[in-house]
C-alpha cells in the first residue's frame, strides 16, 4: 500500500513514529512529496498558486473519505507531539521545498503563510463543511484561492 | 463569567447544547459576536481585511492559552456533531453578517473563503505552531494576511 502510493515508509516512520496509529494513517497518504513539489514547480510561475490548490484538493479528494488526512489533523489538534511531527513533515517534505523553489525572499515565512491557507481550506471543506466551499469544484477553488497562494509564494507580503 | 465576557448563554446553548463540555468552553470565549462584527464594519472598507486579522488574533491571544478556542476546534475535528454546531455558530453569528455588511456579491461564498483563511491561521499559529507565523506580531500578520481577506470580502474572487 505504502509503496503503491509512493510514500517512503522510512520518512513517515522518522516523523511520526509508530504510536497513536499515526504511522499507519500517514502510510496511506496518496502522496509522494518530492514528486508533488517537483510537479508544482514545473510550468509557468504565474499559475503556481492555482496549481497548488488543484494538487492539494486532488490529494485530499483522492483519499477514501479523506480518512488518512483527517486522522493526521485530528491527532495534531489533540496531541502536541503529533502536531510537532505533522509540522516537521509538512515543512520539510512539502512547504519549504515549494517556497524555496518558487524563488521568493524569506521562504520560511512564505511557507508558513501557505500553510495557513491550505490548512484552513482543508478544515473548511472537509471538517466544518462550510458551503459553498465544501462542495465547490476544484477548478472554482483554484480561481478563488490560487491568487492568495500566488501572492504568498511570489509577491510582496508586507 | 459568560456575562462578563459578553457572550449570550442562550445563543451558545442553542448551538452547542450542554454535552462534551462544549457549552462550557464556548461560554468562556472572550467574544461578543454582534459587537465584534459591528466594530469591524466601522471605518474604511479599504482596511477591512487587516481589521479582521487584528481582531481575530486579539480574540485568540486574549484567551488563556487559547484554551476555549482550542477546545472548540478539537471537538469539531473529532465529532461531526460538534463540527455542525461550530459551523452554524461561526456562519450565523460572525461570518455571514460580516460578508453581508461588506457589501459584496455572493456573501455566503465570501464568508466560506474568509473561514478558510482564518481557520487556517488559527491552526498554523496555535496548533501546528509553524514559525514565523506562530510568534509573529499581530500587525505583521495583518499586513501579510489582511489583503487575502480584503479580496475575499470585497473584490473579484473568480
Amino acid at each position: 500500500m505504502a509503496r503503491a502510493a509512493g510514500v517512503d515508509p522510512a520518512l513517515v516512520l522518522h516523523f511520526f513514529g509508530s504510536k497513536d496509529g499515526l504511522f499507519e494513517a500517514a502510510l496511506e497518504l496518496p502522496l509522494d512529496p518530492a514528486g508533488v513539489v517537483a510537479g508544482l514547480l514545473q510550468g509557468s510561475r504565474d499559475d503556481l498558486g492555482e496549481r497548488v490548490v488543484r494538487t492539494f484538493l486532488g490529494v485530499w479528494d483522492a483519499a477514501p473519505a479523506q480518512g488518512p488526512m483527517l486522522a493526521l489533523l485530528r491527532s495534531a489538534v489533540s496531541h502536541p507531539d503529533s502536531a510537532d511531527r505533522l509540522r516537521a513533515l509538512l515543512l520539510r517534505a512539502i512547504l519549504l521545498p515549494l517556497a524555496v523553489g518558487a524563488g521568493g525572499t524569506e521562504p520560511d515565512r512564505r511557507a508558513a503563510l501557505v500553510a495557513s491557507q491550505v490548512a484552513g481550506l482543508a478544515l473548511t471543506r472537509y471538517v466544518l463543511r462550510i458551503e459553498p466551499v465544501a462542495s465547490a469544484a476544484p477548478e472554482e477553488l483554484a480561481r478563488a484561492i490560487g491568487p492568495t497562494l500566488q501572492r504568498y509564494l511570489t509577491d510582496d507580503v508586507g
Side-chain angles (χ1 to χ4, degrees), chain A:
Chain A
M1 165 73 86
R3 269 187 185 283
V7 180
D8 177 357
L11 179 76
V12 173
L13 189 61
H14 173 72
F15 282 112
F16 290 95
S18 55
K19 52 182 179 175
D20 296 338
L22 257 189
F23 178 58
E24 289 69 21
L27 276 184
E28 291 175 34
L29 291 177
L31 183 60
D32 161 22
V36 166
V37 172
L40 287 170
L41 292 172
Q42 285 176 347
S44 163
R45 280 294 183 280
D46 299 340
D47 301 336
L48 182 57
E50 292 197 9
R51 283 204 298 281
V52 172
V53 175
R54 272 186 221 110
T55 300
F56 180 77
L57 292 175
V59 169
W60 275 79
D61 289 340
Q66 292 86 46
M69 264 83 73
L70 281 181
L72 290 177
L73 186 57
R74 194 171 291 135
S75 185
V77 171
S78 298
H79 307 290
D81 275 6
S82 300
D84 291 345
R85 293 199 189 105
L86 182 58
R87 178 185 63 239
L89 178 67
L90 282 177
L91 284 176
R92 178 156 144 183
I94 302 177
L95 295 175
L96 272 176
L98 176 65
V100 168
T105 55
E106 301 184 281
D108 55 341
R109 182 162 177 251
R110 293 177 187 277
L113 290 170
V114 169
S116 80
Q117 175 64 85
V118 296
L121 174 56
L123 202 58
T124 302
R125 183 171 169 92
Y126 302 110
V127 176
L128 296 176
R129 298 182 186 273
I130 298 180
E131 296 292 358
V133 163
S135 53
E139 200 50 41
E140 188 198 318
L141 292 173
R143 283 197 306 274
I145 293 177
T148 297
L149 299 183
Q150 186 72 35
R151 176 168 165 271
Y152 291 164
L153 285 169
T154 66
D155 299 348
D156 176 24
V157 282

